[in-house]
Amino acid sequence: REIDVLWTLKSGASTESSADEPLGCSTFIVAIGHHAAAFLSSFILDSVCWEVVGVVKLWNEWCRTSNTTNVLPTDSFCLFYRLISDPTVLLCQCSCYVAEDQQFQWLEKVFGCMRKEGLQVTILSTCPVADYKTQESTLTLPSPFLKALKTKEFKEQVCCPLLEQPNIVRDLPAAVLSYCQVWQIPAVLYQCYTDVIKLDTVTIEAFKPLLSSKILKSLVKDASESTKILKKLLTTNETHSNIYI
């Protein structure tokens, strides 16, 4: 159940996560789950502007990460990208399940490679609307919707309402946010509550208000191109979810 983080920062050669030189990083965007990863693929990632610089290898009862960087929406993977024009901007797409006993390893090995001074973290994730605690009936909620949770050090304006008590977040998104709180790193988690399990346009586009945030505003690519990529992602997903008899 060991987690391996491999970086390919120099001449394509893989290096272990315990690199002597920590990465200088000003912005770290983490998309956890298929919907959040698909949002970044559609609206932020561009093969011309970004390069793959790392990968996490892990396995557990629920997943085994894919061995290729040419991933499909249904694949389990955890890849790191770096903005070519500004190498201090890192992005992580994590579509694999990280078990509870592996989360501390993931945090130590990923954040252990980065300088924490001047770092700001943005986390995107989804969870079932049934997990949202409110006095209203969840049937009347305008699903999907966004809620934010931030660390004490995060001083910027958030793009949606804050998550109310007694709601909690869990799994890897909660672990990343807690790590940032302990290490006094400015961080914000945007959690999308949805009633849809499989990839769908409405849930992915629920993250669109974040495109106006200070962090993502400068990274947004052409809107028409984003729509094409989103349609392609969903078409590929539908093809792979068919059952033939």
Side-chain angles (χ1 to χ4, degrees), residues 165-193:
Q165 293 182 344
N167 285 286
I168 59 170
V169 293
R170 59 187 64 180
D171 297 325
L172 189 59
V176 175
L177 196 68
S178 298
Y179 184 93
C180 293
Q181 178 69 33
V182 170
W183 284 92
Q184 299 181 334
I185 300 170
V188 59
L189 164 65
Y190 290 106
Q191 182 133 284
C192 176
Y193 288 87

Side-chain angles (χ1 to χ4, degrees), residues 79-121:
L79 298 176
F80 297 93
Y81 297 83
R82 181 169 63 180
L83 187 62
I84 296 171
S85 60
D86 183 0
T88 66
V89 178
L90 285 180
L91 185 150
C92 173
Q93 284 184 303
C94 185
S95 281
C96 58
Y97 173 73
V98 182
E100 288 183 1
D101 62 316
Q102 295 176 315
Q103 290 169 10
F104 181 73
Q105 268 193 83
W106 194 98
L107 294 168
E108 287 289 294
K109 292 189 175 182
V110 171
F111 282 96
C113 301
M114 302 178 192
R115 289 195 190 95
K116 297 177 178 64
E117 299 81 11
L119 174 63
Q120 184 162 314
V121 178

Side-chain angles (χ1 to χ4, degrees), residues 28-41 43-44 91-95 121-127 146-149 159 169-170 172-174 176-177 187-193 203-204 206-211 213 215-216:
F28 186 39
I29 302 164
V30 189
I32 301 169
H34 290 290
H35 283 100
F39 170 75
L40 290 189
S41 292
F43 294 94
I44 303 295
L91 185 150
C92 173
Q93 284 184 303
C94 185
S95 281
V121 178
T122 302
I123 311 151
L124 281 63
S125 72
T126 55
C127 75
L146 281 177
K147 292 288 180 179
L149 198 60
C159 301
V169 293
R170 59 187 64 180
L172 189 59
V176 175
L177 196 68
V188 59
L189 164 65
Y190 290 106
Q191 182 133 284
C192 176
Y193 288 87
T203 302
I204 294 170
F207 287 106
K208 283 178 82 172
L210 310 188
L211 297 177
S213 67
I215 293 292
L216 295 183

